[in-house]
Amino acid sequence: YAGGTAGIGVTNGLCTAPCSNNTFAGKIFGGKRLTPGLAAEVNLLMFGETERVNNQATINAGGTAKETVRSRAITLGINWEVELIQDFTNQIRVGWAFVNQKKRLLSGNNVEVQADRRLNAPYIGAGIAFRLNRDIKLLSSADFVINGHEGMYLFGIGASAEF
């Protein structure tokens, strides 16, 4: 099966000072069923881009003019599905996330500094699916990369197809 969702991503603690941490985000995923209720799954989570722009006083004092952070993660894990009632399925996902964060700092004199970071963290997700027909499901999902105060969350709706 394969599918995708779109929604809102929340990234915490990535900027050096408070910044906008809610942004448009999404995920693309694919999996292989091991049993009717258990699948091995790969996800590409795109948490979007957060941004912070400082005021002129901060820039004049030698501070950063603009800071942007983009976060993405590839997860490997297991998707466990349990039928709740006819055509509704509960989905529980657990696995490991490989996160890539790209930070760009722009100084007051237009010099850009790049600070990329990679980390590994546990991943969990939950959702509910509604089967439209034999091969297509509508999804709602919540996905979490657990990394202390720098955790990332993705809430989305989408669809998947079995083949």
Side-chain angles (χ1 to χ4, degrees), residues 7-148:
I8 188 165
V10 179
T11 55
N12 294 313
L14 301 180
C15 293
T16 54
C19 63
S20 63
N21 63 353
N22 301 335
T23 184
F24 180 75
K27 78 173 179 177
I28 300 169
F29 61 90
K32 171 71 174 140
R33 296 220 176 271
L34 306 173
T35 69
L38 194 66
E41 191 171 271
V42 175
N43 293 279
L44 171 60
L45 304 174
M46 296 159 283
F47 293 99
E49 187 171 283
T50 61
E51 180 178 281
R52 178 177 61 90
V53 179
N54 281 324
N55 59 29
Q56 193 61 43
T58 304
I59 296 169
N60 291 341
T64 301
K66 182 178 176 183
E67 178 178 9
T68 59
V69 180
R70 185 180 75 194
S71 298
R72 294 188 174 175
I74 294 176
T75 67
L76 303 174
I78 296 293
N79 180 16
W80 178 45
E81 296 183 349
V82 177
E83 189 170 328
L84 300 173
I85 56 175
Q86 183 176 349
D87 296 328
F88 282 92
T89 306
N90 185 25
Q91 300 173 328
I92 305 293
R93 291 178 299 282
V94 295
W96 200 253
F98 304 92
V99 180
N100 183 17
Q101 296 172 337
K102 293 183 181 279
K103 183 183 282 193
R104 303 291 179 259
L105 302 169
L106 184 65
S107 70
N109 55 4
N110 287 330
V111 175
E112 184 178 81
V113 176
Q114 299 179 12
D116 295 350
R117 184 172 85 155
R118 288 178 169 61
L119 60 101
N120 301 321
Y123 157 78
I124 60 171
I128 294 196
F130 173 73
R131 184 173 297 280
L132 281 179
N133 62 33
R134 187 174 68 90
D135 297 323
I136 298 175
K137 292 180 181 179
L138 296 179
L139 311 169
S140 66
S141 65
D143 299 287
F144 308 96
V145 174
I146 303 165
N147 189 34

